[in-house]
Amino acid sequence: MLLELKDVHVHYGKIEALKGVSLQVDEGEIVSLIGGNGAGKTTTLKTISGLRSCSSGSVFFEGADIGSMPGHRRVLAGIGQAPEGRGIFPGMSVHENLLMGAYARKDDHSKELAEAYELFPRLAERRSQAAGTMSGGEQQMLAIGRALLSKPKVLLLDEPSMGLAPMLVQQIFSIIEEINRRGTTILLVEQNAQQALRLAHRAYVLETGRIVRSAPASELLDDPQVRAAYLGGD
Ligand code: ATP
């Protein structure tokens, strides 16, 4: 097992955002985390990347408890994240943004840089452009490309399809699939549950801070309750 959360509780002041979340991600998988607004999806990713700490419970990565490991060490250990809202550096060029993804590495990152440009040819065309002047879709590509520069073992993706035109959504999802095919494990948070379940091997449903379902993604796609709550019914 690559990643495991065990009975994780996270608070924002008095608000308990995660109320005992347990989940597992195996090497090579795409695992989706779906759920409504405020369910705790982003908080779960932040807890894994080290941006939030647990009030109780544990986070294991490759069998080691990383609960007290600072975020930059988690990046080095192999946990990469493309955050919600993209978090790119708007004044820096596309190329500089990509290189920021490798800032913590001491080894050669030329292979990952070439791979990011190969997966996202649009970034190669715009390598000198200021990132802040790019379209929403291009910024999303940049956020994912930058995360790849840290050579992650697991890539945490927060709402990669948010705000994108339908054609671009398809494109981003097929690139995510390709990244997985090339060997990176993926934990995907999505409001677009239909797409997320189509892509994933397994999925978890989060409701108000608790995991309420966990199953192969295809099973959840066919589940009447999940369909009614997250897939627009029918
Ligand atoms: P969305 O899809 O709307 O982004 P989410 O499933 O990602 O939702 P989270 O952002 O993890 O949910 O939020 C979980 C809960 O924690 C929500 O009730 C939210 O209001 C609360 N919360 C999140 N961030 C903070 C914060 N910085 N301060 C206080 N409460 C917060």
Side-chain angles (χ1 to χ4, degrees):
M1 192 183 310
L2 188 59
L3 178 68
E4 184 176 20
L5 270 63
K6 266 190 187 166
D7 196 23
V8 165
H9 293 253
V10 174
H11 288 80
Y12 294 100
K14 284 186 181 147
I15 299 169
E16 189 175 25
L18 299 187
K19 302 167 181 163
V21 167
S22 296
L23 61 81
Q24 302 173 352
V25 181
D26 286 328
E27 208 177 323
E29 284 191 304
I30 300 179
V31 173
S32 285
L33 191 55
I34 62 170
N37 284 322
K41 304 181 297 299
T42 297
T43 302
T44 303
L45 293 191
K46 285 183 172 171
T47 307
I48 298 167
S49 62
L51 292 171
R52 299 290 325 174
S53 39
C54 312
S55 355
S56 65
S58 324
V59 182
F60 293 93
F61 185 63
E62 294 188 305
D65 188 338
I66 58 165
S68 54
M69 189 187 274
H72 68 277
R73 293 240 347 262
R74 297 191 198 192
V75 176
L76 271 177
I79 299 175
Q81 182 170 20
E84 186 182 19
R86 293 147 194 158
I88 55 146
F89 302 102
M92 289 167 66
S93 71
V94 165
H95 192 70
E96 287 164 341
N97 265 277
L98 285 177
L99 294 182
M100 288 302 288
Y103 82 99
R105 291 176 61 181
K106 296 199 167 53
D107 57 339
D108 178 31
H109 57 254
S110 53
K111 182 170 170 274
E112 288 73 30
L113 185 61
E115 199 166 29
Y117 280 135
E118 184 210 333
L119 284 166
F120 300 105
R122 182 65 67 92
L123 298 183
E125 286 162 21
R126 300 186 172 228
R127 53 189 292 148
S128 315
Q129 186 171 327
T133 64
M134 305 233 293
S135 74
E138 290 163 348
Q139 291 190 21
Q140 186 58 267
M141 292 174 188
L142 181 55
I144 298 174
R146 187 180 59 184
L148 289 178
L149 261 288
S150 69
K151 201 181 175 182
K153 293 175 183 160
V154 64
L155 179 58
L156 313 178
L157 295 173
D158 197 350
E159 306 274 5
S161 78
M162 188 160 61
L164 302 188
M167 222 178 73
L168 219 46
V169 170
Q170 286 304 331
Q171 206 179 327
I172 287 278
F173 278 114
S174 49
I175 292 169
I176 293 169
E177 204 164 23
E178 177 60 22
I179 291 169
N180 175 252
R181 221 180 346 254
R182 294 179 182 198
T184 306
T185 305
I186 287 171
L187 179 57
L188 172 68
V189 156
E190 261 300 332
Q191 290 261 0
N192 189 338
Q194 181 97 27
Q195 290 280 4
L197 291 177
R198 281 212 190 115
L199 193 71
H201 304 111
R202 290 189 304 114
Y204 291 88
V205 181
L206 196 56
E207 265 176 26
T208 54
R210 290 193 176 87
I211 302 282
V212 294
R213 287 290 304 275
S214 140
S218 54
E219 199 174 296
L220 293 178
L221 262 179
D222 291 336
D223 183 288
Q225 259 178 319
V226 172
R227 293 194 73 83
Y230 301 107
L231 304 174
D234 81 23

